[in-house]
């Protein structure tokens, strides 16, 4: 195995408190030792910095601690790390998630064996007491050890696999001028899509190498949030970008954006069980199924939808009462329910 290649691990943190202890300990226990860690303090106002400084006094890995003057969000913090990273490979780790001891070793074995642009792996979702909440094994049944980035992109957009910020490594050579856009909620998906579009060959490790913490108060564990509508705008941007040059990609992004509108509406209905239907109709019309959002479902793209989804849009537009009742009565498609359950909405 290549023990020379340096990994740059970028960890933004903001008011993370005691959670970062497990993260640091998991880095100390790595069997692959050639890595640097860039801790980016995104203007924390609690004792996170003090806790981290104490933890770092006796660690055996190289690190840099960068203090940003004020909180500007996770994208800005990650971009700061990208500029400062010196490694051949890049990895973004959240300050409350923690790795298995052999995570880096397994990833670098994969990179060394094949000329890969990215490597991703499975993960476990756990609570604050390390109890398993959910694993994602079933989502990776049809994934090969080595695949083209285009095939992985299609599986990722179609929700056949789940990749999150901390379950994927990048070769620095493919990042080039790609940075995180400073947008809410979906900056990780946006970044991953653009990197995959810039890649050729992807490796997959059929092992759970990280614990993804679901904690109280986190964004992904919050109640229905209108920021999720940014997902629709994201897929519309990609649809328009490839509309003239790649019909397969444009169709892929359009269908995902259109389906997001339906899924988001269902998620809202399922989450507001106490509201009367007329209140739901008013909210949906104002915030979700409005002219601004529906402008992303162009007449050019509607042809890409299957009959089922076309009829659902028709029902939602002209007979919202029936749409709401159908969601309340019928079970949500299993893959959709699983996806939004995992996303915490």
């Amino acid at each position: 195995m290549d023990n020379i290649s340096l990994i740059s691990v970028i960890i933004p943190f903001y008011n993370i408190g005691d959670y970062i202890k497990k993260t640091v300990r998991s880095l100390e226990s790595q069997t692959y030792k050639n890595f640097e860690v860039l801790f980016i303090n995104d203007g924390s106002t609690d004792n996170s910095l003090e806790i981290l400084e104490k933890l770092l006094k006796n660690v055996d890995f190289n690190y840099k601690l960068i203090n940003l003057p004020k909180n500007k969000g996770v994208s800005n913090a990650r971009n700061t790390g990208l500029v400062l990273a010196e490694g051949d490979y890049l990895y973004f780790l959240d300050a409350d998630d923690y790795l298995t001891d052999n995570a880096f070793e397994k990833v670098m074995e994969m990179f060394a064996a094949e000329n890969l642009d990215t490597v991703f792996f499975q993960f476990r979702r756990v609570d604050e007491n390390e109890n398993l909440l959910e694993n994602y094994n079933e989502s990776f049944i049809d994934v090969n050890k080595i695949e083209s980035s285009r095939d992985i992109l299609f599986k990722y957009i179609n929700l056949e696999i789940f990749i999150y910020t901390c379950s994927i490594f990048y070769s620095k050579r493919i990042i080039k001028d790609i940075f995180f856009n400073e947008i809410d909620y979906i900056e990780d998906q946006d970044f991953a899509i653009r990197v995959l579009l810039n890649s050729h060959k992807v490796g997959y490790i059929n092992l759970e190498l990280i614990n993804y913490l679901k904690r109280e108060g986190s964004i992904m564990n919050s109640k229905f949030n209108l920021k999720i509508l940014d997902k629709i705008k994201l897929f519309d941007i990609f649809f328009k970008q490839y509309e003239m040059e790649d019909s397969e990609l444009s169709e892929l992004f359009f269908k995902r954006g259109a389906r997001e509108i339906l899924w988001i509406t269902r998620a809202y209905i399922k989450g507001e069980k106490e509201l009367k239907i007329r209140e739901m109709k008013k909210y949906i019309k104002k915030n979700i199924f409005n002219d601004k959002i529906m402008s992303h479902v162009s007449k050019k793209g509607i042809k890409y939808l299957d009959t089922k989804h076309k009829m659902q849009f028709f029902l939602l537009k002209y007979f919202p009462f029936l749409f709401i009742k159908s969601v309340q009565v019928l079970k949500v498609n299993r893959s959709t329910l699983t996806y939004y359950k995992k996303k915490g909405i």
Side-chain angles (χ1 to χ4, degrees), residues 1 22 38 52 64 66 83 94 105 115 125 135 140 182 210 257 286 289 298 302 306 322 330 337 339:
M1 183 181 67
K22 284 183 181 177
L38 291 85
L52 180 58
K64 298 174 184 175
I66 297 95
V83 171
D94 289 343
E105 181 179 350
N115 184 28
R125 197 165 194 181
N135 62 38
F140 298 93
E182 296 186 24
I210 190 168
K286 178 182 178 182
F289 205 76
S298 67
I302 203 76
D306 56 29
L322 293 177
L330 299 176
L337 185 62
Y339 172 68

Side-chain angles (χ1 to χ4, degrees), residues 13 51 209 281 336:
F13 68 95
I51 291 172
L209 298 181
K281 283 173 56 179
T336 301

Side-chain angles (χ1 to χ4, degrees), residues 269-298:
I269 295 168
K270 287 287 185 180
E272 298 291 350
K273 297 178 181 178
E274 305 302 319
L275 288 182
K276 294 180 179 180
I277 289 183
R278 67 173 179 271
E279 294 173 314
M280 288 187 186
K281 283 173 56 179
K282 185 177 179 181
Y283 183 91
I284 290 169
K285 184 177 180 180
K286 178 182 178 182
N287 297 296
I288 303 176
F289 205 76
N290 55 38
D291 291 340
K292 184 177 180 182
I293 296 299
M294 286 307 298
S295 67
H296 300 296
V297 186
S298 67

Side-chain angles (χ1 to χ4, degrees), residues 138-332:
E138 292 183 4
S139 302
F140 298 93
I141 293 175
D142 296 324
V143 184
N144 300 312
K145 184 177 180 182
I146 307 294
E147 294 208 28
S148 73
S149 59
R150 189 179 180 92
D151 287 342
I152 292 298
L153 177 65
F154 272 72
K155 290 177 181 180
Y156 178 53
I157 299 300
N158 285 324
L159 303 180
E160 296 170 31
I161 58 174
F162 292 100
I163 300 173
Y164 89 111
T165 310
C166 309
S167 67
I168 184 168
F169 276 65
Y170 304 100
S171 173
K172 192 176 183 179
R173 70 175 185 271
I174 64 162
I175 298 296
K176 297 181 180 177
D177 57 351
I178 300 176
F179 289 90
F180 284 85
N181 283 322
E182 296 186 24
I183 51 181
D184 290 321
Y185 199 86
I186 52 167
E187 77 290 330
D188 55 341
Q189 290 187 41
D190 173 56
F191 183 84
I193 290 170
R194 286 186 289 124
V195 173
L196 286 172
L197 286 167
N198 198 46
S199 305
H200 299 285
K201 205 172 179 183
V202 179
Y204 163 64
I205 300 174
N206 187 27
L207 293 171
E208 297 169 335
L209 298 181
I210 190 168
N211 294 284
Y212 176 17
L213 178 64
K214 180 181 179 181
R215 59 187 175 87
E216 294 300 320
S218 66
I219 292 175
M220 301 309 290
N221 194 33
S222 59
K223 197 177 178 182
F224 181 85
N225 192 324
L226 281 173
K227 288 181 179 179
I228 194 175
L229 294 173
D230 286 344
K231 292 167 72 71
I232 299 164
K233 301 173 192 174
L234 171 67
F235 293 114
D236 185 54
I237 289 170
F238 285 119
F239 163 65
K240 290 175 179 175
Q241 180 180 344
Y242 289 95
E243 189 175 7
M244 301 304 294
E245 58 184 271
D246 192 321
S247 59
E248 261 194 332
L249 276 179
S250 63
E251 179 179 347
L252 173 74
F253 289 122
F254 179 86
K255 289 169 72 173
R256 175 61 187 274
R259 289 160 65 189
E260 285 286 347
I261 295 175
L262 296 171
W263 293 340
I264 289 168
T265 306
R266 290 195 195 104
Y268 167 73
I269 295 168
K270 287 287 185 180
E272 298 291 350
K273 297 178 181 178
E274 305 302 319
L275 288 182
K276 294 180 179 180
I277 289 183
R278 67 173 179 271
E279 294 173 314
M280 288 187 186
K281 283 173 56 179
K282 185 177 179 181
Y283 183 91
I284 290 169
K285 184 177 180 180
K286 178 182 178 182
N287 297 296
I288 303 176
F289 205 76
N290 55 38
D291 291 340
K292 184 177 180 182
I293 296 299
M294 286 307 298
S295 67
H296 300 296
V297 186
S298 67
K299 291 182 180 179
K300 288 183 180 180
I302 203 76
K303 64 184 179 183
Y304 294 138
L305 299 181
D306 56 29
T307 303
K308 179 181 72 173
H309 289 115
K310 286 179 183 176
M311 291 193 66
Q312 287 176 352
F313 272 107
F314 177 82
L315 198 64
L316 184 55
K317 182 175 182 179
Y318 296 107
F319 302 98
F321 175 87
L322 293 177
F323 184 91
I324 293 170
K325 288 297 292 183
S326 68
V327 173
Q328 290 175 332
V329 174
L330 299 176
K331 292 183 179 180
V332 180

Side-chain angles (χ1 to χ4, degrees), residues 43-199:
S44 294
T45 57
D46 67 354
N47 62 343
S48 298
L49 180 59
E50 179 183 346
I51 291 172
L52 180 58
E53 287 176 332
K54 288 181 180 178
L55 290 170
L56 294 176
K57 284 183 177 179
N58 299 311
V59 297
D60 59 357
F61 56 79
N62 295 322
Y63 70 87
K64 298 174 184 175
L65 179 54
I66 297 95
N67 289 301
L68 302 181
K70 60 181 180 179
N71 177 245
K72 289 189 175 182
V74 67
S75 291
N76 178 72
R78 286 176 180 151
N79 288 338
T80 300
L82 275 173
V83 171
L84 298 173
E86 298 179 0
D88 306 294
Y89 299 93
L90 301 173
Y91 178 55
F92 301 97
L93 179 60
D94 289 343
D96 53 359
D97 295 345
Y98 49 100
L99 299 150
T100 61
D101 295 354
N102 64 345
F104 290 177
E105 181 179 350
K106 291 296 182 183
V107 169
M108 295 311 295
E109 283 177 351
M110 177 69 83
F111 272 120
E114 302 282 346
N115 184 28
L116 301 174
D117 296 315
T118 66
V119 170
F120 71 101
F121 43 85
Q122 292 187 30
F123 53 97
R124 304 165 73 246
R125 197 165 194 181
V126 298
D127 65 17
E128 297 180 25
N129 296 313
E130 300 187 29
N131 298 312
L132 177 66
L133 297 176
E134 194 162 12
N135 62 38
Y136 297 71
N137 298 342
E138 292 183 4
S139 302
F140 298 93
I141 293 175
D142 296 324
V143 184
N144 300 312
K145 184 177 180 182
I146 307 294
E147 294 208 28
S148 73
S149 59
R150 189 179 180 92
D151 287 342
I152 292 298
L153 177 65
F154 272 72
K155 290 177 181 180
Y156 178 53
I157 299 300
N158 285 324
L159 303 180
E160 296 170 31
I161 58 174
F162 292 100
I163 300 173
Y164 89 111
T165 310
C166 309
S167 67
I168 184 168
F169 276 65
Y170 304 100
S171 173
K172 192 176 183 179
R173 70 175 185 271
I174 64 162
I175 298 296
K176 297 181 180 177
D177 57 351
I178 300 176
F179 289 90
F180 284 85
N181 283 322
E182 296 186 24
I183 51 181
D184 290 321
Y185 199 86
I186 52 167
E187 77 290 330
D188 55 341
Q189 290 187 41
D190 173 56
F191 183 84
I193 290 170
R194 286 186 289 124
V195 173
L196 286 172
L197 286 167
N198 198 46
S199 305

